[in-house]
Amino acid sequence: MPNDLFNTPEHEMFRDTVRRFVEEELAPRAREFDEMGRIDKSLFKQMGDLGLLGLRYDPKWGGAGLDYSYTTVLFEEMARADNAGVLMGVSVHTDMATPSLHEFGSDALKAEYLVPAIAGEMVSAVAVTEPDAGSDVAGIKTRAVRDGDDWVINGSKMYITNAATADWLCLLVVNDPDAGYGGFSQVIVPTDTPGFRCDLLDKIGNWGSDTGQLFFEDVRVPLANTIGEVGRGFQQQMMQFQDERLVACIGVIAGLRLLWEETKKYCEERVLFGKPLSKMQVTQFKFAEMLTQITAAQELIYACVRERIAGEDATQKITMAKILCGRLARTVSDECVQLHGGYGYMKESVAGRAFVDMRLISIGGGADETMIHYLAKMLGF
Ligand SMILES: Cc1cc2nc3c(=O)[nH]c(=O)nc-3n(C[C@H](O)[C@H](O)[C@H](O)COP(=O)(O)OP(=O)(O)OC[C@H]3O[C@@H](n4cnc5c(N)ncnc54)[C@H](O)[C@@H]3O)c2cc1C
């Protein structure tokens, strides 16, 4: 890809390594993970052994200490596995559940949970959403009450990725209901703690990783499992969401580009009324429009990546990218199903799967409307 973000020999070598891993190890198991409804833990270990699970993290904790361009390459290549659920489960682990721990966690907590996560020996999940509060994060009710040197946690979380696979959760709790935005904390909860239970949910797409509802009944964890300061959980989670959204956008746009290519190939081969579908001008116009939009969104994502590498606050652009990717995921995947005709409606077709898998980006990690509301506030309204 000709782009100044990725033009070093190191990037090329890294892309080759990931591509080989995806083609040789991941893609052949893509349908197996769909059938299992979750990622086999051995995949995390393989990725850990290749050094792919802590690209941005400090080498002190087993990370590679690389800038965000490598994370971009990783998820662009992961999109080639043709399994959006696996991409989601892995990205939750690398960029949605672990950033706060890396940024704000104590050394002891990092040694116990981040090091094995980067090594692929432990899998993580991030648990924010609840049955009665998703978009309104400050409306969560899962409560942590201090008892001596422990937190005692009661409540429930909903739609949690890696729910049954995870060894530990980055859990957002309310520790002081009277303290407003200063009353939340992020706490690490090992999933083998007594009182924790998980029920799996049945999704329409993203079958390759599991999603579940979590229950906490008098779950007791040490106060020392608090990530960063008690009472700073809301702010830390808002920062963690920036990584979540950017990585989700990288994966979706890479997936849309591949979908565009696959659909073009299909239209070149599919003959209608005596000529390939791709020879009809209306089809060509659709492809031209779709690629224009995909390229524009990709450039916006690269602008976010550049800001992140420069250490700037990329929140505004990431929010815009999330809105744009949500829209494109819906319109482009819909158009690609249409171009495939009846085959596009089959579960085995790339377009059919993308149609349901990609629908999630407009909802997960902040629905489109939440993002627009957030952006309008940033713009001073
Ligand atoms: C497959 C999947 C995986 C997920 N993984 C995780 C995970 O790992 N961890 C986690 O914590 N959560 C996860 N989620 C939850 C996801 O982040 C929430 O579903 C999302 O934030 C929306 O919350 P909600 O479902 O409660 O919808 P609600 O908050 O009830 O919102 C419903 C709808 O209201 C609209 N809306 C939202 N805000 C506004 C507004 N300001 N103005 C007007 N309309 C608005 C939107 O259209 C939205 O879709 C996952 C969800 C799914 C489906």
Side-chain angles (χ1 to χ4, degrees), residues 3 27 31 48 63-64 110 135 147 201 216 219 340-341:
N3 189 299
R31 299 289 79 82
K110 286 183 199 169
S135 308
D147 182 27
L201 300 165
F216 303 84
V219 169
H340 276 81

Side-chain angles (χ1 to χ4, degrees), residues 126-129 134-135 159-161 203 360 363-367 369-370 373:
V126 57
V128 176
T129 308
S135 308
Y159 311 129
I160 305 307
T161 303
K203 304 191 292 288
L360 181 60
I363 299 170
E369 294 79 356
T370 313
H373 171 76

Side-chain angles (χ1 to χ4, degrees), residues 15-73:
R15 193 179 285 280
D16 279 354
T17 303
V18 182
R19 189 167 292 188
R20 245 196 339 273
F21 168 73
V22 168
E23 283 172 1
E24 291 170 15
E25 306 290 339
L26 183 47
R29 300 182 72 188
R31 299 289 79 82
E32 175 196 332
F33 294 150
D34 279 352
E35 275 158 31
M36 286 167 59
R38 62 202 283 180
I39 305 171
D40 190 280
K41 275 194 177 180
S42 62
L43 186 86
F44 287 98
K45 182 70 179 68
Q46 277 180 294
M47 293 188 72
D49 289 346
L50 285 171
L52 299 177
L53 298 180
L55 292 177
R56 293 184 289 125
Y57 294 154
D58 191 335
K60 186 175 168 193
W61 308 111
L66 296 167
D67 70 36
Y68 216 97
S69 61
Y70 289 86
T71 302
T72 310
V73 173

Side-chain angles (χ1 to χ4, degrees), residues 88 92 96 125-136 157-162 203 205-206 211 241 244 360 362-371 373-374:
M88 177 167 79
V92 162
M96 305 184 192
V126 57
V128 176
T129 308
E130 298 190 354
D132 296 320
S135 308
D136 179 11
K157 295 285 174 180
M158 193 64 170
Y159 311 129
I160 305 307
T161 303
N162 293 342
K203 304 191 292 288
N206 284 286
T211 304
F241 274 141
E244 169 164 346
L360 181 60
S362 274
I363 299 170
D368 289 359
E369 294 79 356
T370 313
M371 292 294 96
H373 171 76
Y374 188 38

